[in-house]
């Protein structure tokens, strides 16, 4: 019961942390989606230098730890004088952009080439065919892995604690060290993460179904 | 009196890398004419159609559409393609749009026709292909024959001057072939200029004004169906017909 009482007692602070965690993740994923689309198209372009650029970016992101990427934005690029929020968001966006690029590339290339041909044969330009025909279908196929990536990003946002942001994880460890009772607060924070992940899963499924009316 | 020339091809050549697929193709199709293209697999029939719609770009030769020579680098090919309808073996309907949205897509977004006008025209086209009751259905719910009729309507919505069909019934179950051929016959009777790659010799006999037999990237023989099917002048034509009939 003690655990439950502490959960109730601390909820205003945890909710604040949860909101910050959620904001960090949502903004990062939105920027990551733009970055991802951009690099996916570079890769699909089949223009050597652009493909190479895209490969280099993905190699860089995959090959280095996220915490290093976040620290580069916050401590490394001090001349940019970034806020903590900005640094974490950009670090997460830079990181997730690479994975999202691969998700989009795969889903775009999974669309039957006949769709492009049909669009072109009706007089639609390549870009119009992408916008009206290919991307809407690709987006729907990208929904499950995107939801997955969202969940990964949410959990990764806990690294923001290491540059001193009071998101969920930091709230938990602060309570833990003040009371010498880490376990209680780690179990409490686990509940908040689970709730968030559950909500995101529902959201992703809803989005997928909304886009799935066709089949 | 002879009709005006709708499609004219002169010394058309097309290669994929080292593979020379179309060799010195010459052909003329007049307005309101129905031309059937026959020939063995790999003879270049699809490639020829795709060159006429500029989905493939020729290596050399001349292509005239509606009396105008089309140059790939100076003409707006999107505009040309809008004038040359294409129906594919595998339909390629847009699965995320309803039947009527499929038909309205290009008129609204390419020709910028007002939506309600495009809607009315799409309704008429659906009636014409006998699918008025399917307007709000998604393609996934249609049979193959119905899909192909929607694809024909979608193509017609751009009011093309000539329609290309690439084996429009080859992917269909035998019992669904008839409904698509009926739709195509109706189009032919209304005076649509059509170039049809087909294995349906019955259709060619009944509807075509001329039949072209292709072999290995060349046009071997051209003739009225009665002549070409019964008294082919080339041995290769005769051998091919013996093998398919
Ligand atoms: N995009 C391409 N790249 C390379 N080779 C191609 C391409 N398209 C067609 N070909 C080749 O060109 C030749 C002619 O192909 P085409 O599709 O025009 O034949 P077809 O007469 O339509 O045959 P089918 O009856 O099987 O449809 C074939 O050898 C084919 O492999
Ligand atoms: Mg073919």
């Amino acid at each position: 019961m003690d655990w439950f009482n502490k959960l109730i007692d601390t909820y205003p602070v945890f909710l604040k942390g949860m909101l910050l965690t959620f904001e960090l993740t949502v903004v990062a994923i939105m920027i990551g989606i733009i970055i991802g689309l951009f690099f996916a198209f570079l890769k699909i372009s089949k223009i050597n230098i652009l493909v190479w650029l895209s490969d280099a970016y993905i190699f860089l992101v995959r090959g280095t730890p996220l915490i290093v990427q976040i620290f580069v934005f916050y401590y490394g690029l001090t001349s940019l004088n970034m806020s903590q929020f900005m640094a974490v968001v950009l670090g997460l966006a830079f990181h997730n952009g690479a994975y999202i690029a691969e998700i989009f590339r795969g889903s775009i290339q999974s669309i039957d080439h006949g769709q492009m041909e049909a669009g072109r044969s009706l007089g639609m330009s390549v870009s119009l065919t992408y916008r009206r025909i290919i991307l809407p279908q690709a987006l729907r196929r990208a929904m499950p892995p995107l939801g997955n990536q969202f969940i990964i990003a949410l959990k990764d946002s806990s690294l923001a604690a290491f540059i001193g942001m009071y998101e969920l994880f930091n709230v938990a460890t602060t309570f833990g060290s003040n009371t010498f009772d880490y376990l209680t607060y780690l179990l409490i924070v686990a509940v908040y993460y689970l709730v968030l992940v559950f909500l995101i899963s529902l959201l992703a499924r809803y989005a997928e179904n909304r886009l799935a009316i066709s089949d | 009196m002879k009709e005006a020339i709708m499609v004219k091809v002169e010394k058309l050549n097309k290669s994929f890398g080292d593979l020379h697929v179309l060799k010195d193709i010459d052909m003329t199709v007049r307005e309101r004419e129905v031309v059937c293209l026959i020939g063995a697999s790999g003879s270049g029939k699809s490639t020829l159609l795709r060159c006429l719609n500029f989905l493939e770009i020729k290596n050399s030769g001349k292509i005239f559409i509606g009396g105008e020579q089309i140059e790939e680098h100076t003409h707006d090919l999107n505009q040309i393609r809008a004038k040359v309808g294409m129906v594919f073996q595998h339909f390629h309907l847009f699965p995320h749009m309803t039947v009527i949205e499929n038909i309205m897509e290009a008129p609204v977004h390419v020709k910028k026709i007002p939506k309600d006008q495009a809607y009315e025209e799409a309704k008429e086209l659906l009636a014409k292909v006998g699918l008025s009751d399917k307007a709000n259905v998604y393609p996934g719910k249609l049979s193959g024959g119905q899909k192909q009729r929607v694809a024909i309507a979608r193509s017609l919505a751009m009011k093309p001057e000539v329609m290309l069909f690439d084996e429009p019934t080859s992917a269909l179950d035998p019992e669904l072939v008839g409904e698509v051929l009926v739709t195509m016959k109706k189009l032919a009777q209304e005076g649509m200029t059509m170039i049809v790659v087909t294995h349906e010799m019955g259709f060619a006999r009944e509807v075509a004004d001329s039949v072209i037999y292709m072999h290995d990237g060349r046009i071997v023989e051209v003739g009225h169906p009665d002549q070409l099917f019964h008294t082919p002048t080339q041995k290769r034509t005769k051998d091919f017909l013996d093998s398919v009939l």
Side-chain angles (χ1 to χ4, degrees):
Chain A
M1 249 22 252
D2 185 42
W3 179 83
F4 191 71
N5 286 334
K6 282 183 175 148
L7 178 87
I8 301 296
D9 288 345
T10 56
Y11 89 87
V13 189
F14 270 105
L15 276 188
K16 249 177 147 176
M18 180 159 106
L19 192 65
L20 181 56
T21 289
F22 192 66
E23 279 172 0
L24 283 170
T25 313
V26 169
V27 180
I29 284 290
M30 288 199 312
I31 299 173
I33 283 174
I34 294 166
I35 298 176
L37 259 183
F38 177 74
F39 281 98
F41 273 112
L42 290 196
K43 199 140 179 194
I44 289 168
S45 73
K46 298 208 175 81
I47 298 168
N48 280 340
I49 173 94
L50 301 183
V51 174
W52 181 85
L53 203 72
S54 185
D55 284 344
Y57 163 63
I58 291 166
F59 178 73
L60 191 68
V61 167
R62 278 192 176 155
T64 56
L66 173 56
I67 188 75
V68 173
Q69 294 161 14
I70 292 174
F71 271 39
V72 164
F73 279 101
Y74 191 61
Y75 295 114
L77 303 171
T78 41
S79 57
L80 296 181
N81 209 358
M82 241 177 260
S83 69
Q84 291 169 311
F85 187 85
M86 211 53 200
V88 173
V89 160
L90 287 184
L92 276 174
F94 173 78
H95 184 82
N96 282 281
Y99 293 96
I100 294 173
E102 286 291 70
I103 290 171
F104 279 142
R105 183 189 60 78
S107 67
I108 290 170
Q109 287 181 339
S110 78
I111 303 299
D112 177 13
H113 188 60
Q115 294 289 304
M116 176 57 84
E117 301 231 307
R120 311 279 347 250
S121 79
L122 290 166
M124 299 171 75
S125 65
V126 172
S127 61
L128 183 64
T129 310
Y130 264 113
R131 192 156 57 76
R132 297 278 317 163
I133 310 298
I134 311 285
L135 284 181
Q137 295 180 61
L139 202 64
R140 156 167 158 45
R141 284 195 196 171
M143 237 29 242
L146 267 185
N148 213 24
Q149 195 60 39
F150 198 139
I151 288 169
I152 293 172
L154 180 94
K155 293 186 286 187
D156 283 351
S157 72
S158 58
L159 293 176
F162 292 93
I163 59 172
M165 293 201 83
Y166 278 96
E167 46 64 71
L168 271 180
F169 180 62
N170 208 355
V171 170
T173 51
T174 304
F175 271 121
S177 68
N178 288 347
T179 59
F180 302 104
D181 182 11
Y182 273 101
L183 185 61
T184 301
Y185 292 100
L186 290 174
L187 291 179
I188 287 174
V189 80
V191 171
Y192 284 95
Y193 276 115
L194 284 169
V195 168
L196 272 178
V197 167
F198 180 69
L199 289 178
I200 291 168
S201 307
L202 285 186
L203 207 73
R205 184 141 347 131
Y206 173 76
E208 192 188 344
N209 288 336
R210 275 296 303 267
L211 294 167
I213 33 176
S214 55
D215 37 38
Chain B
M1 201 195 79
K2 282 207 161 176
E3 301 277 355
I5 291 173
M6 176 59 79
V7 177
K8 191 175 159 88
V9 175
E10 284 178 13
K11 290 248 172 302
L12 179 73
N13 281 276
K14 171 70 187 172
S15 302
F16 294 108
D18 290 337
L19 188 66
H20 197 171
V21 176
L22 295 178
K23 301 165 185 166
D24 291 334
I25 300 285
D26 287 307
M27 96 187 214
T28 304
V29 180
R30 293 178 180 275
E31 265 176 45
R32 312 173 70 83
E33 213 177 2
V34 177
V35 174
C36 283
L37 269 177
I38 61 171
S41 179
S43 55
K45 308 179 296 293
S46 296
T47 307
L48 177 54
L49 282 199
R50 294 165 59 79
C51 284
L52 294 180
N53 199 17
F54 303 93
L55 286 173
E56 301 288 355
I57 301 304
K58 65 180 173 14
N59 294 96
S60 67
K62 292 180 184 163
I63 298 175
F64 300 81
I65 307 280
E68 189 185 5
Q69 186 182 351
I70 310 300
E71 283 297 344
E72 285 85 357
H73 32 279
T74 51
H75 276 85
D76 177 359
L77 291 183
N78 293 329
Q79 254 170 32
I80 306 296
R81 286 195 195 95
K83 292 201 286 184
V84 182
M86 180 108 169
V87 172
F88 302 89
Q89 183 176 357
H90 295 287
F91 335 122
H92 301 323
L93 294 179
F94 306 135
H96 58 305
M97 299 179 183
T98 61
V99 162
I100 196 132
E101 287 168 348
N102 263 272
I103 300 173
M104 292 164 63
E105 178 65 18
V108 170
H109 289 97
V110 177
K111 282 195 173 165
K112 313 283 184 200
I113 288 173
K115 265 204 170 144
D116 38 355
Q117 187 191 336
Y119 180 81
E120 291 308 321
E121 290 179 9
K123 285 284 240 193
E124 279 168 34
L125 285 169
L126 271 179
K128 185 179 186 147
V129 300
L131 291 171
S132 293
D133 54 329
K134 301 291 184 191
N136 298 312
V137 167
Y138 283 92
K141 297 267 187 312
L142 298 178
S143 74
Q146 292 170 333
K147 281 182 190 162
Q148 196 59 296
R149 287 186 280 151
V150 172
I152 292 171
R154 178 178 70 175
S155 211
L156 289 174
M158 290 302 276
K159 303 197 169 74
E161 294 173 3
V162 49
M163 288 275 284
L164 312 176
F165 294 81
D166 193 355
E167 302 198 30
T169 59
S170 296
L172 300 178
D173 292 337
E175 72 270 21
L176 301 177
V177 169
E179 60 189 67
V180 172
L181 292 182
V182 165
T183 305
M184 290 170 63
K185 272 179 213 167
K186 219 158 100 185
L187 261 186
Q189 278 156 9
E190 288 170 10
M192 175 59 76
T193 311
M194 296 163 56
I195 305 177
V196 185
V197 174
T198 188
H199 297 299
E200 295 292 332
M201 299 302 163
F203 175 84
R205 261 204 202 102
E206 198 182 326
V207 182
D209 298 294
S210 80
V211 177
I212 297 177
Y213 170 61
M214 280 182 74
H215 177 79
D216 195 20
R218 287 182 199 283
I219 291 181
V220 174
E221 185 164 355
V222 184
H224 190 273
D226 290 337
Q227 178 267 312
L228 190 130
F229 286 129
H230 296 117
T231 53
T233 59
Q234 303 290 316
K235 183 172 178 309
R236 273 181 304 190
T237 314
K238 186 175 182 317
D239 291 345
F240 173 74
L241 290 171
D242 287 344
S243 71
V244 296
L245 291 179

